[in-house]
Amino acid sequence: MKEAIKMVVFDMAGTTVNENNIVYKTLRNAINTVGGYELTLTEVLAYAAGKEKLQAIKTVLKNSLDVDDDELAQRMFTLFLKDLEHAYEVEEIYPNANAEELFAILKERDILCVLNTGYDRKTAESLLEKLNWKVGKDVDALITASDVPRNRPYPDMIDMAMQKFEITDSSVVMKIGDSIIDIQEGQQAGCALSIGITTGAHDAAQLRSANPDYVIDDLLEIVEILEKKNISNTVV
């Protein structure tokens, strides 16, 4: 008999957090300002979504512009961090639709709720503060790109979350995110389910290209998926 899902790992921006693509707009502006380019938001989202942000810049430069320049990327990243800090001070940030309702449902069912993100810890914690989400109350843990040696699509952040709660079997973990690389992260971690959601960076067709177990449009769809998964796991 397989065990039921014990932990759900959520991406932040675009999945549980509605910040109107502030991060990727700021990333695009930093790349264009420092490099003198004219990249669109669509181009940036296609290659940067879900990644640790310095790596995201390098990936955009390579794939959109055929530029491989670590020093240039670092200058763009430095400007990005400065501008993002200001943007988060002045722009409105909201919970994504039904995120808080789903967190409460998971809490009632004793299913751990973990946030993970391609942000560094300082940025991620500033988001939580603005949303008034507290680790240990609203969510059980926050794992960020700066906490681990390797970032998505490697499974290091999910592995860290499992270690934190002494979970040894990734088949009791579910991963949800709005980008292809989120799905790949869950797959590399061996999660029971890796799910894409259409509320952020990538559309349904892009998400399906990564062969997720589900593509959903609303976080509350997770409740039915959990029920189906946990019922099927009780069948001997």
Side-chain angles (χ1 to χ4, degrees):
M1 183 185 300
K2 294 182 180 178
E3 291 190 80
I5 297 296
K6 293 181 177 179
M7 175 188 289
V8 181
V9 180
F10 296 90
D11 174 54
M12 291 184 66
T15 302
T16 53
V17 179
N18 179 359
E19 40 81 275
N20 194 28
N21 276 328
I22 290 170
V23 168
Y24 296 105
K25 289 174 182 175
T26 306
L27 197 73
R28 175 202 59 194
N29 293 345
I31 292 171
N32 288 344
T33 298
V34 174
Y37 304 121
E38 296 182 356
L39 291 177
T40 66
L41 181 61
T42 299
E43 288 175 292
V44 170
L45 285 171
Y47 296 113
K51 295 182 173 70
E52 183 274 326
K53 299 308 176 269
L54 177 56
Q55 185 58 48
I57 291 170
K58 292 179 180 179
T59 303
V60 170
L61 290 176
K62 182 64 177 175
N63 287 278
S64 290
L65 301 161
D66 197 27
V67 171
D68 189 358
D69 186 330
D70 287 351
E71 189 274 333
L72 177 66
Q74 185 62 56
R75 286 194 285 122
M76 292 171 174
F77 182 60
T78 299
L79 178 62
F80 162 74
L81 289 177
K82 173 176 159 293
D83 288 352
L84 184 64
E85 185 172 2
H86 173 70
Y88 275 152
E89 288 174 357
V90 300
E91 299 288 346
E92 292 295 330
I93 310 293
Y94 303 98
N96 218 353
N98 296 318
E100 293 177 339
E101 290 86 342
L102 182 55
F103 294 166
I105 290 168
L106 294 178
K107 191 177 188 68
E108 288 173 2
R109 300 184 183 193
D110 293 322
I111 297 173
L112 293 163
C113 174
V114 174
L115 299 179
N116 82 342
T117 177
Y119 298 148
D120 62 280
R121 177 156 288 276
K122 180 181 177 182
T123 302
E125 288 182 343
S126 73
L127 265 180
L128 292 191
E129 184 176 353
K130 193 150 189 175
L131 291 164
N132 198 30
W133 289 355
K134 300 190 186 309
V135 174
K137 176 177 174 286
D138 303 285
V139 297
D140 294 289
L142 168 67
I143 310 294
T144 78
S146 58
D147 299 331
V148 293
R150 300 176 304 174
N151 291 296
R152 298 169 179 155
Y154 293 105
D156 295 30
M157 285 193 283
I158 294 176
D159 290 345
M160 177 176 279
M162 290 173 57
Q163 291 165 11
K164 179 177 179 62
F165 294 104
E166 299 182 342
I167 293 173
T168 57
D169 183 359
S170 59
S171 71
V172 299
V173 180
M174 176 190 292
K175 173 65 204 279
I176 305 160
D178 66 298
S179 65
I180 289 168
I181 204 167
D182 284 299
I183 295 165
Q184 293 169 335
E185 176 192 27
Q187 291 166 340
Q188 289 209 24
C191 292
L193 296 172
S194 295
I195 297 172
I197 187 166
T198 60
T199 52
H202 289 156
D203 62 26
Q206 290 171 310
L207 293 169
R208 288 193 186 99
S209 73
N211 300 312
D213 295 287
Y214 295 89
V215 172
I216 62 174
D217 301 310
D218 187 288
L219 284 170
L220 284 183
E221 292 178 59
I222 293 300
V223 177
E224 184 177 354
I225 292 171
L226 274 170
E227 289 171 352
K228 286 180 180 177
K229 179 67 175 173
N230 287 348
I231 288 169
S232 69
N233 283 351
T234 63
V235 178
V236 179

